[in-house]
Amino acid sequence: MVRRVAVVGAGVSGLAAIKCCLEEGLEPTCFERSEDIGGLWRYEDEAEEGRASIYRTVFTNSCKEMMCYSDFPFPDDHPNYMHNTRLQQYICKYAQHFDLLRHIRFKTLVTNVKKRPDFSVTGQWEVVTQRNGKEETAVFDAVMVCSGHHVYPNLPLDDFPGIQKFKGCYFHSREYKEPEKFRGKKVLVVGLGNSGTDIAVELSTVASQVYLSSRSGSWVMSRVWDNGYPWDMLVVTRFRTWLGNILPSMLSDWLYVRGMNRFFKHENFGLMPLNRTSRKEPVFNDDLPSRIACGVVVMKPNVKEFRETSVLFQDGTVQDDVDVVVFATGYSYSYPFMEDDSIIKSRDDQVTLYKGILPPHLEKPTMAVIGLVQSLGPIIPTADLQCRWATKVFQGQCVLPSVSKMMDDIDEKMGKKLKWYGNSTTLQTDYVTYMDELASAIGVKPNVLKLLLTDPRLAFEIFFGPCSPYQFRLRGPGKWSGARKAILTQWDRTLRATQTRVTPAAPTAFPCLAVLGVLFLLFLLLLATLYC
């Protein structure tokens, strides 16, 4: 019987893990190496060893209605997209509201997690921690790994010949904090991800020139979409997911590319992905196209070679007098505290987890890895639902298939990932499909057909509206009484964040029938003039 649970990390995933454990009657102990909660979202002026690091101007890419904890909406006065400090305040309020802080041991580093000798019988783990130079060992019935995957920078210098003789400054984007020290410099940013584009755009306001190098291109999306609404409230819907699944791939691909090019043609800006139809996570940046149009950011292909003061690109062009190189080349997911790393990376050094959470080869299902997925959707509600599923597994309330069937499920999903997202990542998944899969397993997926008969307004909003986190609190374990109201008022809260100045209502579009009527009257007048 699982009772005591060790939670590694007190970021957004760790807090969800603590809360879910408490709701299931478990006893969580969370170990956090730093002095505060928040993980990735807690900004510090200097990058800390073993901790995720962000730059000062980081904003969220998901809007507040989509990225909140499923039973704890953001306050009405919060903007739709938030600066990291505002999100950190929300995270602290969440922890205080559900009284989670008393279960966290701060400034405590987890140094080793290993199976007990009798693991095949008990499923227990030995967790070794260190605090103030003192080591302590404790036994837990289960472990929830919530340490994130934006901690250990991927800096593949071997892929960039000549970097050792480059006389300028170079570093990983993890070390970047603010732009002022680069004023008047020529800067090359390598990597067309969210960090790379954000840093390139920000540096373009002070640097003499910014070059942005991309190996394979990427789709670039704006946070603000049709009629000024947040992109994810319009894009991340059950209807769109259903449509994408039933349409022929040729038509689905065409619609996808057309949608991504709706505001500007990516090939005109040197951004078009090599694999046009790849569904890998797009880049969110509202300013990059205008920065390219103004010439302060110049798109370049992959780097072929570094020289002392210049850079040779794959297309044969050379850029002279480069002062700084920022490698925005992503992160490697690593768990140095795991004595047996193959528990999580069990095949070809790749993550192999059932439902993206559970190591399938464990004799007892008493370990969960939370937050190790990527999707076109927010991580907070994803981690929340992962924790709800994992604690049900710990309690034996969610029956698992055999190891062979779990591996077959992993292989099947990997095949779909390679088809939709390409070889760039094994963590990518479709948000709505994934959330519904977890929700079905624990009985919290909304029943749209039943609601169509009993509550058609709610059913319509659930299917055609945004797949907001509140949907997974309408029924079943963990049901929240405020979920229905939160869903039906989510658009009001979205508008309240931007309608901060009262303005006259825009004139309504002239009705088509009225236009036809006027034209008909003009036609009659013309006939009358000709024949009178």
Side-chain angles (χ1 to χ4, degrees), residues 65 70 73 233 446 451 457-463 465-474 480 482-493:
E65 294 302 318
S70 54
M233 294 187 74
L451 286 172
R457 181 187 173 196
L458 181 61
F460 184 88
E461 188 63 31
I462 287 174
F463 188 70
C467 185
S468 47
Y470 322 119
Q471 294 189 9
F472 304 104
R473 291 286 181 177
L474 284 167
W480 174 45
R484 181 182 184 276
K485 181 180 179 181
I487 293 170
L488 296 180
T489 56
Q490 58 195 353
W491 292 103
D492 298 332
R493 290 190 298 277

Side-chain angles (χ1 to χ4, degrees), residues 295-364:
V296 291
V297 174
V298 175
M299 291 303 304
K300 303 296 290 185
N302 196 32
V303 174
K304 184 176 183 179
E305 180 187 9
F306 282 97
R307 297 168 181 174
E308 289 188 354
T309 59
S310 61
V311 182
L312 171 65
F313 295 97
Q314 291 287 357
D315 60 358
T317 59
V318 176
Q319 181 55 53
D320 295 319
D321 303 322
V322 174
D323 301 301
V324 180
V325 180
V326 182
F327 286 100
T329 45
Y331 293 83
S332 301
Y333 33 87
S334 178
Y335 301 94
F337 50 82
M338 293 292 298
E339 185 175 69
D340 184 2
D341 197 35
S342 66
I343 291 175
I344 296 174
K345 298 180 181 179
S346 62
R347 189 170 52 186
D348 300 326
D349 201 35
Q350 296 294 326
V351 170
T352 309
L353 299 171
Y354 180 62
K355 305 287 188 190
I357 304 170
L358 189 78
H361 293 292
L362 289 177
E363 301 95 319
K364 296 288 183 179

Side-chain angles (χ1 to χ4, degrees), residues 12 36-45 51-62 67 74 78-93 176-178 198 202 223 380:
V12 294
D36 201 358
I37 63 174
L40 173 69
W41 294 102
R42 184 170 67 84
Y43 173 81
E44 292 289 338
D45 289 330
R51 240 194 101 239
S53 176
I54 56 175
Y55 36 98
R56 188 181 296 277
T57 54
V58 166
F59 281 80
T60 61
N61 290 330
S62 296
M67 75 174 300
F74 281 94
H78 277 43
N80 288 321
Y81 297 99
M82 278 163 285
H83 187 258
N84 59 84
T85 53
R86 187 74 68 98
L87 181 56
Q88 175 67 2
Q89 291 169 6
Y90 166 79
I91 293 169
C92 291
K93 288 178 181 177
Y176 176 82
K177 291 297 179 179
E178 52 190 9
D198 277 355
E202 184 168 86
R223 293 177 177 88
I380 290 180

